[in-house]
Amino acid sequence: MIEIRMPRLSDTMEEGTITSWTTTIGSAVTAGDVLVEIETDKAVMEQEAFESGTLTHVLVPAGGTARIGEVIAVLDGPDDLETPAPAPAPAPAPSGSSAAEGLRGDAPGDDAPDSRPDDAAPDDVDGPPGRAPGDGPRLTSSPLVRRLAREHGVDLSSVRGTGPGGRIVRRDLEAALDDGTARQLSDDTSPHPLADADQRRTAGGSSAQTTAPAEPTSRSAGAADLARGSVEHPTTAAQRISAERLTQSTSTVPQFSVTATADVTDLVALRSTMVAELVAAGRAKVSMNDLVVRASALALRAHPDVNSSYEVGPAGPVLLRHARVNVGVAVATEHGLVVPVVRDADTLPVSGVHDAVAGLAAAAHARRLTVEQMQGGTFTVSNLGMLGVEHFRAIVNPPEAAILAVGAVRHEPAVAGGEVVVRARMSLTVSVDHRAVDGAGAAAFLQTLVGLLERPWAIVG
């Protein structure tokens, strides 16, 4: 019997979501074949089989999530296979992994302890009522469904799940209540294990009835959810990790922001000239964002204190000054926000920056970014100007020390040579980790960036 376990596919990965299985139960698998697609906190990646055999059991169906080290499938398994217990999760990669550090050009960091409790286990997988979880068919439901089932006294084993892998979602429970097929729990009937999965935790991943309190939730009561017409939508791995990191950033990183306005009239004119020449040559147009990324990279080269990270080493906190300028570009996709990285952006011409950003954005939307394309960033640019946003403040993306928020180009009246003229202006806000960058350093960086954008030939020179 060959166990297929959830691999660690990135330095920050704690769990993975099965996007799809590329083979079916009963099919032969050869070492090197792509067996499964897994969505991590960074990208959707293909995982190959390391050994040959026949796929006999899929323990985590498409749409399901598993922690690192948990068994997700079995090759050449017996017919009466019991669900294997999860293996202890391997120690995570260092907070500044050697791969990422090499990309940034700084020294290796240190191992960070695993922040997930050792006894953490899936909270929504069990069997039917009256049986041990391993004795019956595997059922899944969301915390909201379990709570609503408790409130309505419904035995979830009587509800047919239509979600991924047979998962019971709220609409299934509502439909069962409407058509009368939902079986009510009698006084002498034990609640379905799914309804109280949050009350069952024992060592080794097994389950038992306890008197632990119900799972806390910030959601309103079921009646209120129904009154609002709320519909549950599962979060993607990218959305979950983004929420986790942004919460960590705002709660642990002391941040401040400085804002300046650049007169980009000459930059707009220069871009128009470049676009005309590029189109005539049959090449892709460059965008304002490409020019801003290039200018930011040059400004970072002039201000290495901003191109840095505040990290904790074995001897205490240290400042890492990165020799390479790797600019992350925030890309909003239908699956969540991702930040692929343009490596050595200060050495690329504007056309090279455009090609890199366009390729990364396309890969992001297709969910085909690689781990290498997602790590090693030293600074981030977030541009909402193309959506008409004039000004905003972005949240620092640790371990980076700074992030630039770019607003829309606005045409405003201005006084020049004693006359009122129309000029193109752009708002720029840099938010920084105050532990790594002080106010004067942030202001100096922004001053250099504004100067580059107002004298744009330096950007393309």
Side-chain angles (χ1 to χ4, degrees):
M1 183 177 73
I2 302 170
E3 295 178 344
I4 308 298
R5 296 183 179 270
M6 176 64 70
R8 181 184 294 279
L9 298 175
S10 75
D11 55 326
T12 56
M13 176 181 173
E14 292 186 350
E15 64 181 18
T17 299
I18 304 298
T19 301
S20 66
W21 289 95
T22 59
T23 188
T24 58
I25 292 177
S27 300
V29 176
T30 303
D33 288 349
V34 174
L35 183 61
V36 61
E37 290 187 337
I38 300 172
E39 181 186 6
T40 72
D41 57 321
K42 296 182 181 292
V44 175
M45 305 184 66
E46 296 178 339
Q47 179 64 25
E48 298 179 351
F50 295 111
E51 300 181 70
S52 300
T54 299
L55 182 63
T56 54
H57 299 80
V58 171
L59 305 181
V60 182
T65 299
R67 294 182 59 207
I68 293 172
E70 286 186 356
V71 179
I72 59 176
V74 172
L75 303 182
D76 300 336
D79 293 338
D80 58 349
L81 174 73
E82 294 184 3
T83 304
S95 57
S97 67
S98 57
E101 289 154 355
L103 292 173
R104 297 187 313 224
D106 49 47
D110 303 288
D111 289 345
D114 192 347
S115 60
R116 186 180 292 270
D118 292 337
D119 62 350
D123 64 351
D124 57 359
V125 178
D126 286 290
R131 301 186 190 178
D135 294 340
R138 294 165 59 88
L139 300 176
T140 59
S141 73
S142 68
L144 172 63
V145 168
R146 297 198 297 275
R147 177 166 56 78
L148 292 176
R150 288 194 296 268
E151 293 172 355
H152 292 278
V154 172
D155 180 355
L156 282 178
S157 67
S158 64
V159 179
R160 178 177 176 272
T162 62
R167 180 184 178 91
I168 301 172
V169 295
R170 200 188 75 172
R171 64 175 178 270
D172 300 328
L173 178 59
E174 293 175 348
L177 288 171
D178 290 341
D179 61 24
T181 59
R183 186 170 64 245
Q184 297 294 309
L185 289 169
S186 61
D187 294 338
D188 57 352
T189 303
S190 298
H192 189 283
L194 288 174
D196 290 300
D198 51 2
Q199 298 181 6
R200 296 174 288 103
R201 288 291 182 268
T202 60
S206 61
S207 303
Q209 295 292 339
T210 71
T211 57
E215 176 181 334
T217 176
S218 60
R219 297 282 300 273
S220 59
D225 287 328
L226 295 174
R228 295 182 304 190
S230 306
V231 178
E232 261 193 1
H233 291 277
T235 57
T236 65
Q239 290 169 329
R240 291 192 296 272
I241 200 65
S242 178
E244 178 182 326
R245 288 181 179 172
L246 293 178
T247 300
Q248 179 186 20
S249 176
T250 55
S251 60
T252 64
V253 177
Q255 305 180 32
F256 74 95
S257 302
V258 291
T259 300
T261 299
D263 186 328
V264 293
T265 305
D266 292 341
L267 181 66
V268 171
L270 174 61
R271 176 181 175 267
S272 297
T273 300
M274 293 177 65
V275 166
E277 294 179 354
L278 289 169
V279 170
R283 300 173 60 186
K285 302 176 183 179
V286 298
S287 67
M288 288 294 290
N289 193 60
D290 299 331
L291 295 165
V292 171
V293 170
R294 165 70 174 163
S296 299
L298 295 177
L300 288 168
R301 192 164 65 187
H303 297 275
D305 56 319
V306 179
N307 194 51
S308 65
S309 298
Y310 178 93
E311 299 185 16
V312 178
V318 295
L319 281 176
L320 297 179
R321 296 283 175 85
H322 308 308
R324 300 175 66 178
V325 178
N326 300 333
V327 179
V329 180
V331 178
T333 74
E334 56 271 35
H335 312 294
L337 178 69
V338 293
V339 187
V341 177
V342 179
R343 301 183 193 174
D344 301 312
D346 58 321
T347 68
L348 299 176
V350 175
S351 59
V353 170
H354 167 79
D355 292 343
V357 172
L360 292 169
H365 287 288
R367 305 178 78 182
R368 285 293 180 265
L369 287 169
T370 66
V371 173
E372 289 74 21
Q373 292 172 320
M374 293 285 291
Q375 63 186 15
T378 63
F379 182 84
T380 296
V381 172
S382 180
N383 189 342
L384 293 180
M386 67 279 289
L387 299 178
V389 175
E390 295 184 357
H391 171 266
F392 69 103
R393 182 177 68 85
I395 299 173
V396 172
N397 183 26
E400 299 168 12
I403 184 171
L404 177 70
V406 183
V409 175
R410 312 180 307 276
H411 290 86
E412 301 176 340
V415 177
E419 297 181 355
V420 177
V421 296
V422 176
R423 306 291 292 180
R425 296 181 179 275
M426 174 188 287
S427 175
L428 304 162
T429 300
V430 62
S431 300
V432 302
D433 180 348
H434 208 339
R435 300 171 301 178
V437 184
D438 59 20
F445 166 80
L446 196 56
Q447 186 178 49
T448 298
L449 177 60
V450 169
L452 288 167
L453 295 174
E454 292 185 341
R455 292 177 289 278
W457 286 108
I459 300 175
V460 298

